[in-house]
Amino acid sequence: IAHCQMDYCALRTLKSSFLKKYFYTTLERILSPFVDHFITVSEYDRQLGVVNKVSSLDRVTTVHNGINDLPNYKVVCSSSTCKKLVMVARFEHPKNQAELISAINIIKNKSFVLELIGDGPLMKKCAAQVNRLRLQDKVIFRGYCDDVSLHLNQADIFILVSNWEGFPLTILEAMRAGLPVIASNVGGVSEQVIDSVNGYLIERGDTDNLANKICDLVDNDKKRLFMGDHSRNLFGSKFTFSVMLDKTVKIYKHVLSVS
């Protein structure tokens, strides 16, 4: 049995050159006859593989990523009037912290603070943007952290602004923490975030709507907690490691039984 987990990052990356896209697509087409079945981490990738003629739908199954739940994990809901927003991502081109900072500038009179967790080559540029807009009291740069789960446990809202995505694990970590999620509607994100149920999906580049949705959750405790509860429930039913493992094992068993 051959198991291949498709990853079409090169195909969906806006900055990728035509030659890079052509190379990866061609390589996967060449290898396709030697693979019994493909597993993709999102339905978005599954459809992309078919569109690019890597495989037919019947040879590809989506198994969403899953992560372990945390033992004795308790969701902490902030009672402070100053809400804590968190984005966890490297400062590099797939992510767009700069757009989030611009949205924060629109609503800077609201009572919240934004924590940006991560490092990377664009961090200095974003820090300069914060200084230029005089948002030092609104935006905190945490840098690289090895205790992300603790920061999420102390947060009220999770935000992920991206130019492109696959199936981000940081959203699963936020859902595990019982947080509502505001995220860019790219890649497989819509398979994690159900709009107006456990968060909001924002179209890429719509800074005004991003600001409005942040305001909506900052100002509305009932809605924020409602969406956070749905995040936690969705995580438990669909995105744990055990769910992922069970689905993967079933695929292996099925392929072995017909080979």
Side-chain angles (χ1 to χ4, degrees), residues 85-121:
L85 286 51
V86 176
M87 176 170 169
V88 182
R90 276 186 56 79
F91 286 81
E92 54 188 1
H93 287 297
K95 315 302 178 184
N96 198 345
Q97 288 92 342
E99 182 181 340
L100 177 54
I101 293 169
S102 295
I104 294 304
N105 188 51
I106 296 172
I107 55 173
K108 57 188 174 184
N109 62 314
K110 294 291 182 179
S111 181
F112 66 84
V113 63
L114 168 66
E115 288 189 355
L116 296 174
I117 298 177
D119 54 16

Side-chain angles (χ1 to χ4, degrees), residues 31-201:
L31 293 176
S32 181
F34 304 100
V35 176
D36 295 299
H37 205 81
F38 289 92
I39 294 177
T40 59
V41 298
S42 70
E43 184 62 23
Y44 172 82
D45 279 344
R46 180 172 181 255
Q47 297 294 334
L48 199 58
V50 173
V51 168
N52 285 279
K53 299 179 180 179
V54 173
S55 178
S56 56
L57 275 176
D58 62 311
R59 294 180 59 228
V60 189
T61 303
T62 296
V63 178
H64 290 127
N65 281 327
I67 59 175
N68 285 318
D69 203 349
L70 296 180
N72 302 318
Y73 192 83
K74 293 183 180 179
V75 177
V76 176
C77 297
S78 171
S79 59
S80 171
T81 56
C82 182
K83 302 306 176 187
K84 183 181 290 186
L85 286 51
V86 176
M87 176 170 169
V88 182
R90 276 186 56 79
F91 286 81
E92 54 188 1
H93 287 297
K95 315 302 178 184
N96 198 345
Q97 288 92 342
E99 182 181 340
L100 177 54
I101 293 169
S102 295
I104 294 304
N105 188 51
I106 296 172
I107 55 173
K108 57 188 174 184
N109 62 314
K110 294 291 182 179
S111 181
F112 66 84
V113 63
L114 168 66
E115 288 189 355
L116 296 174
I117 298 177
D119 54 16
L122 297 180
M123 186 174 178
K124 288 184 178 180
K125 184 177 181 180
C126 288
Q129 179 186 9
V130 167
N131 291 334
R132 185 174 66 254
L133 297 174
R134 298 180 181 179
L135 294 174
Q136 295 92 332
D137 62 333
K138 285 294 185 184
V139 182
I140 301 171
F141 292 86
R142 292 295 186 196
Y144 172 80
C145 295
D146 56 8
D147 57 350
V148 170
S149 61
L150 177 61
H151 286 275
L152 293 175
N153 193 33
Q154 296 172 342
D156 297 289
I157 301 166
F158 181 79
I159 304 172
L160 185 64
V161 183
S162 314
N163 292 318
W164 58 89
E165 284 289 354
F167 193 81
L169 292 179
T170 52
I171 288 182
L172 299 188
E173 292 173 331
M175 293 171 66
R176 179 178 63 187
L179 296 178
V181 178
I182 301 174
S184 302
N185 188 15
V186 293
V189 172
S190 62
E191 297 166 49
Q192 301 169 288
V193 181
I194 304 174
D195 192 50
S196 299
V197 176
N198 70 315
Y200 290 119
L201 294 171

Side-chain angles (χ1 to χ4, degrees), residues 206-224:
D206 194 346
T207 308
D208 288 337
N209 191 32
L210 175 59
N212 289 336
K213 296 307 184 186
I214 293 172
C215 276
D216 185 53
L217 293 185
V218 166
D219 292 340
N220 194 323
D221 291 347
K222 185 176 180 180
K223 182 180 291 186
R224 188 178 64 254

